Amino acid sequence: MAHRIPVRTLTCAATLAVSAAVVPSAHAAPRPLAQIVLHYDDSQAAEFRSAVVAGANSWNASVQNVRLVEATAGQTAEIKIVAYDGWPETTLGPARPGGRHSTVYFGREAVNEGYNTIRIAAHELGHSLGLPDNKPGPCSSLMSGSTGGVSCTNATPNAAERAAADANYASPAAVPPASLALIVDAP
């Protein structure tokens, strides 16, 4: 003989399960319906390609609403990385699929002065995700950039920076067009 569960109990349990899945906790970061994927093209990053991959991985391990993925040959990329001899600079995002694009100019001048390449990559990718500079700032702030000092190797966004990036990608809706700003990261 099979044991029967009253329908009312099942309905209550199902309602609780659905409610728990739909209603986020007060402390949860905003989550999109689907994670937004941004492709980056590092084919012109020259000697900085591995630093760019490490910087992208740092963001991927830190945020929930957006993922940075290396573009395949011929694929449109929302973020383009170009190595050049000046100081690092980036067009401020947030980059969006099918919308706003960002270009990172990975400057050798900062590397020649002794700044950490992975920190530079993660910092500049932060600009592509829509985060402005936080200068002056401590080494614990990725977006403090050069004011963290030459000895700073922190390439991980802090809690406020993670929350800001997640907020920029909490909705899959396109960001309204705005004037593009070029962020020059000179000290």
Side-chain angles (χ1 to χ4, degrees):
M1 182 163 186
H3 180 67
R4 292 186 161 208
I5 299 172
V7 173
R8 186 173 38 191
T9 305
L10 247 175
T11 305
C12 255
T15 301
L16 286 174
V18 170
S19 295
V22 173
V23 178
S25 94
H27 302 290
R31 294 197 58 121
L33 298 175
Q35 189 178 55
I36 294 172
V37 175
L38 297 177
H39 293 91
Y40 64 89
D41 176 2
D42 62 359
S43 64
Q44 296 178 49
E47 69 270 28
F48 306 121
R49 286 182 86 167
S50 63
V52 170
V53 170
N57 287 338
S58 176
W59 278 105
N60 289 340
S62 299
V63 295
Q64 299 175 5
N65 296 346
V66 63
R67 180 154 183 81
L68 301 172
V69 176
E70 189 171 5
T72 58
Q75 185 175 35
T76 300
E78 291 81 21
I79 303 169
K80 182 177 180 181
I81 296 97
V82 179
Y84 89 122
D85 292 331
W87 195 263
E89 52 190 56
T90 301
T91 49
L92 184 61
R96 297 298 275 205
R100 178 182 282 178
H101 290 94
S102 179
T103 302
V104 171
Y105 298 95
F106 202 119
R108 292 183 180 99
E109 187 175 339
V111 176
N112 294 340
E113 289 185 22
Y115 290 95
N116 180 273
T117 57
I118 298 172
R119 179 173 167 84
I120 293 169
H123 174 88
E124 298 304 326
L125 288 169
H127 287 318
S128 295
L129 298 176
L131 279 65
D133 281 320
N134 181 24
K135 294 182 179 183
C139 178
S140 60
S141 168
L142 176 60
M143 298 314 293
S144 71
S146 61
T147 63
V150 174
S151 63
C152 180
T153 60
N154 172 40
T156 304
N158 65 26
E161 293 161 342
R162 292 189 303 267
D166 271 334
N168 285 344
Y169 295 94
S171 168
V175 172
S179 60
L180 293 178
L182 183 64
I183 304 293
V184 179
D185 284 310

